[in-house]
Amino acid sequence: MIELTDIAYVRSGAADLDNAVRFAVDVVGMELTARENGVAYLRADQRHHCLALVEGESGVISSGFLVRDEDALAAAETELEKAGVSVARGGAEEARSRRVRDFLSFDDPFGNRVDLAVDQVTLTAPVRHGREAGITEFGHLCLDAPDVREAYRFWNGLFNARVSDWIGDWACLMRIDQVHHKLAVFQGSQPGLCHINFQVDSLDDVMRNWHFLEANGVEIEMGPGRHPQSTAVFVYFKGPEGITYEYSWGVRLITDEDAWRPRYFDPAEPGSIDMWQGPTRRVHTQPQLRRPLPGKGEV
């Protein structure tokens, strides 16, 4: 089994790189750590970056996860190939662009591009947030797939992802550590990035951010509300290039693996998405770009 140790980053294409960076810094509150070779790197915590905006066609390029070490990466490559998944090792330039020591890439059965990496660069300096949004960390990422049950079979069959809760056939929320979910798969007709999440320090931060977003004309896609699955208070909002961002606070930790049983929530029932029963809707997905696997000049 391939053991994921954490989420690492999202790489996303930006047709208007300047505008996408401005939004990430001035609105979301991230720090621009570097900009080189048409790539802007944005951080929210100790990682060198959790979002890399790559100048070019709009769309998600890849979603990155970490494994323990080089041996684990080699074992993952073997296991994926045995399962019939095409895998490509990245080159030195591509690894440098991702700020990792080594990585491999593959497409899941639905067309989502995934990177597995080792030794993501850590920065020692405190984060210099673009604004005081209260962000504490890159919390989770969510992908789209037409069949969330099949997606779960893939992630649970080859990886250490365990289902925490189901939202009908609409979403599968999965954990790789004690956090209720760091990976989720939502039902969608095409592969893509459903949203990226940032944890904030307090409930007050969620509410202050909501008011800030509204005052600055940012499209609120859903919230404020509270998810009954993770207990997190949330607000989702749409950024440039079709990226949906989420702030949340109060996520559930699952500390007793043996005692936890996944629950099933019917999305048609009141309160199944937002226990405060506010208006809910499907947030916008950034489509997956179709590109060759690494090793062919793609960085």
Side-chain angles (χ1 to χ4, degrees), residues 16-173:
D16 187 341
L17 184 59
D18 289 339
N19 186 51
V21 170
R22 179 203 62 78
F23 187 91
V25 173
D26 296 342
V27 177
V28 181
M30 304 175 73
E31 177 190 355
L32 178 65
T33 57
R35 186 165 174 171
E36 60 188 36
N37 302 320
V39 183
Y41 299 94
L42 297 132
R43 72 187 287 218
D45 49 34
Q46 79 285 350
R47 301 169 177 88
H48 175 273
H49 69 277
C50 60
L51 176 62
L53 295 171
V54 182
E55 192 167 25
E57 183 183 357
S58 294
V60 59
I61 298 169
S62 65
S63 300
F65 296 83
L66 295 175
V67 295
R68 185 181 63 256
D69 54 26
E70 284 284 358
D71 289 343
L73 189 66
E77 184 174 18
T78 299
E79 193 157 347
L80 287 164
E81 288 176 340
K82 284 182 178 178
V85 178
S86 295
V87 179
R89 281 284 186 135
E93 182 182 356
E94 295 161 322
R96 169 66 182 168
S97 182
R98 288 158 175 77
R99 293 303 196 276
V100 298
R101 189 161 61 86
D102 199 2
F103 78 102
L104 60 80
S105 292
F106 64 92
D107 291 339
D108 76 6
F110 312 100
N112 292 297
R113 175 64 51 83
V114 177
D115 294 344
L116 299 183
V118 294
D119 294 341
Q120 183 176 27
V121 171
T122 297
L123 298 182
T124 59
V127 182
R128 301 175 113 181
H129 294 285
R131 73 173 183 89
E132 290 303 319
I135 294 173
T136 60
E137 65 176 325
F138 175 33
H140 62 257
L141 61 88
C142 298
L143 305 176
D144 271 13
D147 188 328
V148 299
R149 296 278 170 172
E150 283 299 318
Y152 175 66
R153 278 189 274 275
F154 174 78
W155 286 103
N156 179 251
L158 287 173
F159 300 87
N160 61 321
R162 292 94 70 196
V163 61
S164 295
D165 286 310
W166 297 95
I167 307 176
D169 291 327
W170 183 66
C172 177
L173 310 177

Side-chain angles (χ1 to χ4, degrees), residues 148-264:
V148 299
R149 296 278 170 172
E150 283 299 318
Y152 175 66
R153 278 189 274 275
F154 174 78
W155 286 103
N156 179 251
L158 287 173
F159 300 87
N160 61 321
R162 292 94 70 196
V163 61
S164 295
D165 286 310
W166 297 95
I167 307 176
D169 291 327
W170 183 66
C172 177
L173 310 177
M174 291 174 276
R175 65 191 183 279
I176 58 176
D177 54 24
Q178 291 186 345
V179 177
H180 181 272
H181 62 280
K182 284 194 172 176
L183 168 65
V185 179
F186 281 71
Q187 196 281 327
S189 59
Q190 300 294 327
L193 179 72
C194 179
H195 65 272
I196 56 176
N197 166 274
F198 298 102
Q199 297 293 303
V200 296
D201 189 54
S202 69
L203 173 61
D204 294 333
D205 288 318
V206 176
M207 301 308 292
R208 277 192 290 263
N209 285 325
W210 172 50
H211 287 299
F212 172 87
L213 295 168
E214 288 210 316
N216 285 273
V218 177
E219 181 182 346
I220 305 295
E221 296 194 271
M222 191 165 58
R226 189 162 203 158
H227 290 311
Q229 297 81 20
S230 66
T231 71
V233 178
F234 65 84
V235 61
Y236 296 83
F237 57 103
K238 188 176 179 180
E241 311 294 336
I243 299 178
T244 291
Y245 296 91
E246 179 194 14
Y247 296 126
S248 69
W249 167 83
V251 66
R252 182 194 302 273
L253 299 181
I254 296 175
T255 57
D256 189 338
E257 279 287 327
D258 293 334
W260 185 261
R261 296 292 180 270
R263 299 164 297 172
Y264 182 88

